[in-house]
Amino acid sequence: MKKYLKLFLLLLIFVSVIGCTSNKDDTPKKKETKPKQEEKVVEKNNYPSYNGFLKVDGTKLVNEKGEEFILKGVSSHGIQWFGNLYTKDNLKLLKEDWNTNVFRIAMYTKEGGYIDDSSVKEKVISLIDNLIDLDMYVIVDWHILSDNNPTMYTNESKEFFNEISSKYKDKPNVIYEICNEPNGGTTFDDITTYANEVIPVIRNNSPKSLIIVGTPTWSQDVDKVNKLGFDNILYSLHFYSGTHTEYLRDKVRTALSNNIPIIVSEFGVSDASGNGGVFLDETDKWISFLKENKISIISWSLANKNESSAILKESTSIVNDDNLTEAGKYLKEVFKNY
Ligand code: IDC
C-alpha cells in the first residue's frame, strides 16, 4: 500500500513539474516583444513629443525633464529657390532614414527672400506645420547674409517673429534663430542691440522658447560673446571644413571655457563658398570634437544644386540613397551615428 502511495505522490510531483514547465513555455513569447518596446522608447526619446521645450543648462541642452539632449539635422537651402524640395515625404525620410530630429528653414531675408518678397512666409508656415505633424523640431532661421548687420531690418524681424511666435506659442517644436550670420564688421554689441529688441517679442508670446543668436564674422566669433540677459539662448558657430580648421575649434574651446552654450546651426563639408569639393577628413575631426562636447549640429544643405555642399544630385528631388551626392552619403552616416 505504502509503495502505491509513494508512487502516487511521485506522479503528482511529476505532473506539477510538467505543468510549471509548460507555463514557462509562454514566457519566451512575452520576451520576444520586449526588445521592440525598447526600440520604440529610444526612438520616442528623440522627438518633441517626449522632450518638450528644450532648455539650456550651463553649456548643454536639456529636455523638459532635465535630461541631456542633442539636436541633429539638415538645413534647407534658400526656400525661395528650392522650396519644392521640402516636401513632407522628404522630411519624413530625413527623420526615419537619417535619424535626424530637427530641420532648419533658411528663410533668406535678402536675395529674393522675405524682405524682398514677404510671401515666403507662407512657405515657412506650411513647413512648420508639416514638421510639427512629423513630431520634429524646427529652426526658423532669419537668414541674413548680404544684409550683414541684423539691425538693418529690426522692425521687419520683430513683426515676423511676433506673428510666428504667437501662432506657435504652445509648440515646443519651434526654435527661433534670429540672425544667421552677422558679417561685414558687425560687432557683438550690434547683435546685442538687435537681440534685445527681438527676443522680448518672441518671449512675450512664447516664454519657454529656445532662441539661437548668431555671432560676428559669419557666426564664427563665439569667443567674443558676452552673454545676453535672457535664459535659454544658444550662440551659433558655423563652419565649412574646407576653410575652417583647428583655429576655429579653438574658438569653441574658449567659448565653452567661458560657459557659452554653442550650437552648430550650420556647417558644410565643402569650403565656405558651399562648393570647391568635399573635405571629409577635416569634417571627421569636427564631428568627433563636437560629439565629444555634446554640441547640436545642422548641416547645409538640402538642395539639388550643382555644388559640393548639396546633399542631392542635380535634377533629382527625393532624398533616397540613389540620389545622394558624396556629401549626402557622408552626412547620412554622420547623423545615423551622432
Ligand atoms: C550659399 C549657397 C549658394 C548660394 C550662396 C548665396 O550654398 O548656393 O549661392 O549661399 O546665397 C553660409 C551661408 C549660406 C551659404 C553657405 C555657403 O549661411 O547661405 O549658402 N555659407 O556659402 N555661410 C557660410 C557658408
Side-chain angles (χ1 to χ4, degrees), residues 77 108 111 143 145 180-181 240 266 272-274 300 305 307:
H77 196 289
Y108 275 69
E111 304 187 66
H143 200 84
L145 193 60
N180 168 48
E181 290 184 353
Y240 282 75
E266 192 185 294
S273 72
W300 187 262
K305 184 173 175 173
E307 64 178 7

Side-chain angles (χ1 to χ4, degrees), residues 122-157:
E122 303 315 317
K123 286 188 184 147
V124 174
I125 289 172
S126 111
L127 259 164
I128 297 176
D129 289 341
N130 281 337
L131 287 154
I132 290 174
D133 269 4
L134 287 168
D135 193 17
M136 286 180 82
Y137 286 101
V138 44
I139 296 176
V140 180
D141 160 37
W142 183 258
H143 200 84
I144 63 161
L145 193 60
S146 57
D147 45 335
N148 48 44
N149 191 320
T151 58
M152 278 183 194
Y153 297 111
T154 304
N155 290 336
E156 291 81 350
S157 170

